[in-house]
Amino acid sequence: LKEIYKERAVLERDYALKLQALARRGHEKQAKLTVALSFGETPTKSWGDGAAKKSTFDRAYDQLLTSFEQQAMDHLDLSESLSTQIIDGLRRLEHLTEERQTRQKSFYAKVLSERDRYASEQLNQLQYYEECKEFELYRQKQGRAQGDRHADRAAKQYEHQKVEMLNYKNLYVVNTASRNIVSQRFYESDIPRLEDMLQARLITDLVSLVKRGIAIHTHHLDCLRSRHLTVEEVADNVDPAADQALFIEFNRRPFSIPGPLQFEACPDFYDTGDISVAGESRVFLQNKLARSKMKLSETEPVVQHKQADIAKYLNILPTGPPNADEVVDNLVEAQHSLTLLEMHERALNVEQELISGALGGAYRWAQPHNFKSASFSLPSPCAYCQASIWGLSKQGKTCKDCGLSVHMKCELKVAANCPRSTGRRAPPSKVVMHGNRGGSASECHPSWSSLAILMYRTAAPPTASVSAPTASTFTIATDQKMKYRTATIQFDYTASSPFELSVAEGSEVDILEDDDGSGWVKVQDPEGQSGLIPASYLGDDATASAVTPRATSPMRQHQPTYGMTVSPALRGIYDYTAQGDDEMSITTGQVIELTPRGMNYGEGWAEGVHPTTRRNHIFPSNYVSSCSSLSVYS
């Protein structure tokens, strides 16, 4: 239509002959494109002239070309009106249509990714099978240790492995149920709605522009009013729903929705699909249920807000507002957000139903901890497994109420008995949201977790670009102010890494953390900046009891005996491909031996020893986590 109107504006000056030639070319294009527009590029059944005439938009288009043939004596002034109103409008509509189609394709990929994310039960299944095999090995080991002096230890190992196996089984069952519901919704609701969302609006916009052109003709050429009214009458009869039904009729293909998944017992260990609530598995489920309830309480207000936005836009559109394009964009964006939110909400509901049904009334007296992510610059014991928590990134969590610290992997295993909790925490009392373009951005209550804002942004995987860490990355959060000891600096010291502090001789500092044997202390200067400095740089009044003569790296461990040296080590948590000769590739689970500089390399990078060449290379520090030290025979 844009090309036809553009040529029409030029040919208005040449009157009848050139206008008739233009109409003929329009009919030729119509004959070539009718099949693709009305029946698709690859229809599943043949069509005839009778079927082609069923397209209401095609009939309106044909009538429009006929009116061009009848308007051989059109007015010269009409050329300007067509250029400024019709052609520009079509160009803008073309641009808007391309943008909407791009967003639809991007959203389809996002919905597909969300569906696949809930389909990760295969990994849970493999983990569960591995735990079953380990359980069987410990059972055999316990049987062989009967009457032995190691019988008690074998029994403890057996019970511990049993708990781990049941926890993985519960995750497997819950994830399987969630995936089934999400997959069913994907095929029955999300995909059909995605296919039907913009097609009708495109046809409606095209018809609106055609009618606008007809109105211009009627205003300027009273003598051709009857012809224009005929074209307008045909355009009014365009039925987008009927045209879409015609397209569907000639593009039906067989398809069946995949059946639901079922729990499959491990071949090495017989078990049922029932959720285990015995022993520590009940604690795990109670914490899992508490987390689900909190997430659901955060998600439900957002869903209601999006539903209200969609209802508002649907009520505005029939009135023909002047900003109809903006309203349509807001409507589509709100529908995108609602789809993702409802998928997440349904998965949480299924998870709660399964766990609540299994626990019964056991959850009423739970007092769950209110954990938050925390960084640990110095090793701290985990309240559950008693292992040390330490790392440059946030390796553990701390309860906001009672201060209990655990590994992230141990969060759901800690008993729900917080001494400062009053039972199950209520959802946030107030939710404040501000929408923009139909709710494309929202601001939520500060206590919301990151999952409550999941549908507004998608978390990206780690990349090779690593931002420089800051001093706050390596501090332990505290909610109460303390009075610290002061000390005088004996020598000037210049920081060599982001988490160290530069100090001047003679200045006074507050000692935040004493030397733990590493030769470093954490201090704060009068300006409020904090960091690590060598313990030997402090005055005797502050370090007489425990100061190491020579400062070593905070990563360095004590030297063992028996001819062995211990090198600090980290474990890879993401795959990374080296981008230069001085970098080192990392695989998930790989143990990396650190150099003396280690995590002090700076700018978000660490330095380690290549396992093959034994040469020093660097790698991103946020791709690794703390690991037990490497023992190397000297």
Side-chain angles (χ1 to χ4, degrees):
L1 284 175
K2 183 180 68 175
E3 293 298 322
I4 292 176
Y5 271 113
K6 185 183 297 184
E7 295 184 26
R8 169 74 181 275
V10 177
L11 293 176
E12 286 292 337
R13 298 180 180 85
D14 298 331
Y15 294 102
L17 295 178
K18 292 186 178 180
L19 181 58
Q20 291 176 355
L22 172 64
R24 287 194 296 270
R25 290 196 298 272
H27 280 298
E28 292 174 359
K29 291 184 178 181
Q30 178 190 16
K32 295 178 180 179
L33 299 177
T34 295
V35 177
L37 294 175
S38 301
F39 309 110
E41 296 181 356
T42 58
T44 56
K45 68 177 184 178
S46 59
W47 57 276
D49 294 338
K53 294 180 180 179
K54 293 181 180 180
S55 174
T56 59
F57 181 73
D58 185 66
R59 288 201 299 267
Y61 185 68
D62 182 74
Q63 183 62 40
L64 178 65
L65 295 179
T66 302
S67 69
F68 289 170
E69 295 175 347
Q70 297 173 350
Q71 295 171 14
M73 302 299 294
D74 204 352
H75 207 279
L76 293 175
D77 295 337
L78 188 57
S79 176
E80 183 66 18
S81 297
L82 292 176
S83 298
T84 57
Q85 299 188 42
I86 302 302
I87 297 175
D88 290 345
L90 287 170
R91 185 180 295 108
R92 182 175 58 86
L93 178 59
E94 181 182 9
H95 178 68
L96 288 176
T97 302
E98 291 176 354
E99 289 183 349
R100 292 169 183 172
Q101 290 176 347
T102 301
R103 289 197 297 269
Q104 287 293 88
K105 293 177 181 178
S106 175
F107 179 67
Y108 171 75
K110 185 184 297 183
V111 172
L112 191 63
S113 175
E114 284 296 312
R115 185 208 63 178
D116 293 341
R117 186 173 67 84
Y118 284 98
S120 62
E121 75 291 336
Q122 184 65 27
L123 178 60
N124 295 325
Q125 182 189 59
L126 294 177
Q127 293 174 340
Y128 169 59
Y129 287 0
E130 290 296 327
E131 292 298 326
C132 290
K133 293 179 181 179
E134 289 292 330
F135 174 76
E136 181 62 20
L137 292 177
Y138 280 109
R139 186 190 65 79
Q140 296 175 3
K141 183 177 179 180
Q142 184 189 23
R144 291 193 299 269
Q146 294 294 332
D148 193 358
R149 62 190 180 91
H150 299 296
D152 292 340
R153 185 174 65 181
K156 291 180 180 180
Q157 291 177 343
Y158 169 80
E159 292 298 329
H160 176 74
Q161 185 60 32
K162 181 179 179 181
V163 171
E164 289 295 319
M165 177 196 66
L166 294 178
N167 288 341
Y168 276 101
K169 185 193 77 169
N170 292 339
L171 284 176
Y172 179 28
V173 174
V174 171
N175 290 344
T176 300
S178 300
R179 190 269 179 188
N180 291 338
I181 295 301
V182 171
S183 178
Q184 180 182 3
R185 175 183 175 83
F186 177 82
Y187 291 107
E188 293 182 353
S189 175
D190 298 339
I191 292 302
R193 180 164 54 186
L194 189 65
E195 294 287 347
D196 300 341
M197 196 170 292
L198 291 180
Q199 184 64 25
R201 185 61 197 179
L202 174 61
I203 299 299
T204 302
D205 290 341
L206 288 172
V207 173
S208 176
L209 288 174
V210 171
K211 293 174 64 176
R212 186 187 306 174
I214 296 173
I216 294 174
H217 298 168
T218 303
H219 179 73
H220 289 87
L221 304 171
D222 293 337
C223 62
L224 299 177
R225 182 179 299 274
S226 60
R227 300 189 183 96
H228 298 320
L229 291 177
T230 301
V231 178
E232 185 177 12
E233 181 181 356
V234 177
D236 286 336
N237 292 328
V238 172
D239 188 353
D243 291 348
Q244 189 166 342
L246 181 65
F247 181 89
I248 294 174
E249 178 183 355
F250 285 87
N251 286 272
R252 293 184 181 273
R253 290 174 173 82
F255 177 77
S256 58
I257 299 178
L261 298 176
Q262 301 293 335
F263 173 80
E264 298 179 8
C266 176
D268 301 322
F269 177 79
Y270 175 74
D271 205 347
T272 65
D274 299 331
I275 295 180
S276 174
V277 294
E280 295 189 15
S281 295
R282 175 174 296 184
V283 175
F284 181 87
L285 291 175
Q286 286 176 339
N287 291 327
K288 183 74 173 175
L289 182 58
R291 179 187 289 183
S292 297
K293 287 181 178 293
M294 180 60 68
K295 292 178 182 178
L296 186 61
S297 67
E298 297 168 352
T299 304
E300 287 176 344
V302 185
V303 171
Q304 296 173 0
H305 178 73
K306 289 299 176 184
Q307 291 173 343
D309 285 345
I310 292 175
K312 178 182 67 176
Y313 297 138
L314 291 177
N315 292 332
I316 293 176
L317 277 179
T319 62
N323 60 337
D325 293 332
E326 183 179 355
V327 174
V328 172
D329 291 340
N330 291 341
L331 174 62
V332 172
E333 193 166 350
Q335 288 174 335
H336 289 178
S337 299
L338 181 63
T339 298
L340 298 176
L341 286 168
E342 288 179 342
M343 182 186 300
H344 181 59
E345 181 184 35
R346 182 55 181 159
L348 290 175
N349 282 323
V350 172
E351 185 176 283
Q352 287 193 32
E353 292 174 3
L354 286 176
I355 299 179
S356 299
L359 291 177
Y363 181 72
R364 289 187 302 167
W365 310 111
Q367 294 179 309
H369 292 274
N370 186 13
F371 285 113
K372 64 176 182 179
S373 299
S375 299
F376 297 83
S377 61
L378 296 175
S380 301
C382 174
Y384 179 78
C385 67
Q386 301 305 317
S388 295
I389 314 174
W390 183 85
L392 300 182
S393 60
K394 294 184 177 181
Q395 300 290 335
K397 292 195 173 184
T398 301
C399 179
K400 295 180 180 179
D401 299 329
C402 66
L404 186 74
S405 297
V406 295
H407 289 102
M408 286 190 176
K409 64 180 181 180
C410 300
E411 175 187 358
L412 296 180
K413 302 176 184 179
V414 179
N417 56 357
C418 180
R420 297 188 180 181
S421 174
T422 57
R424 291 174 290 175
R425 290 188 294 273
S429 60
K430 184 178 181 182
V431 177
V432 182
M433 293 179 294
H434 305 281
N436 180 28
R437 291 181 59 81
S440 61
S442 297
E443 296 180 1
C444 304
H445 193 274
S447 65
W448 282 29
S449 66
S450 59
L451 284 174
I453 321 174
L454 173 65
M455 303 314 161
Y456 296 102
R457 56 178 66 91
T458 303
T463 63
S465 176
V466 182
S467 60
T470 61
S472 61
T473 309
F474 310 96
T475 60
I476 302 178
T478 178
D479 295 331
Q480 51 183 322
K481 296 183 178 178
M482 299 178 60
K483 186 175 181 180
Y484 301 102
R485 294 184 295 115
T486 61
T488 303
I489 301 299
Q490 299 290 81
F491 311 100
D492 291 339
Y493 179 73
T494 302
S496 60
S497 68
F499 51 89
E500 296 178 13
L501 179 66
S502 298
V503 292
E505 179 182 354
S507 62
E508 290 189 353
V509 294
D510 292 334
I511 301 178
L512 304 182
E513 296 177 7
D514 289 323
D515 179 15
D516 61 345
S518 64
W520 294 81
V521 293
K522 185 175 182 180
V523 300
Q524 178 177 298
D525 62 15
E527 287 75 22
Q529 298 181 349
S530 61
L532 300 175
I533 66 171
S536 58
Y537 280 55
L538 295 179
D540 294 338
D541 56 339
T543 59
S545 59
V547 174
T548 302
R550 184 174 60 90
T552 60
S553 171
M555 296 284 295
R556 191 174 299 256
Q557 307 294 330
H558 296 290
Q559 297 293 334
T561 57
Y562 306 105
M564 296 180 61
T565 59
V566 177
S567 298
L570 299 174
R571 188 179 301 278
I573 57 176
Y574 303 109
D575 292 338
Y576 174 73
T577 302
Q579 306 295 319
D581 296 336
D582 60 336
E583 297 183 18
M584 178 169 59
S585 297
I586 300 175
T587 59
T588 303
Q590 175 186 348
V591 177
I592 305 168
E593 178 185 355
L594 291 179
T595 64
R597 283 195 294 181
M599 301 302 290
N600 301 336
Y601 192 86
E603 298 298 326
W605 293 86
E607 187 179 66
V609 179
H610 196 282
T612 303
T613 63
R614 305 303 298 172
R615 296 172 64 90
N616 296 347
H617 294 270
I618 62 173
F619 53 91
S621 59
N622 62 344
Y623 276 63
V624 294
S625 65
S626 60
C627 173
S628 59
S629 300
L630 278 178
S631 298
V632 183
Y633 282 92
S634 59

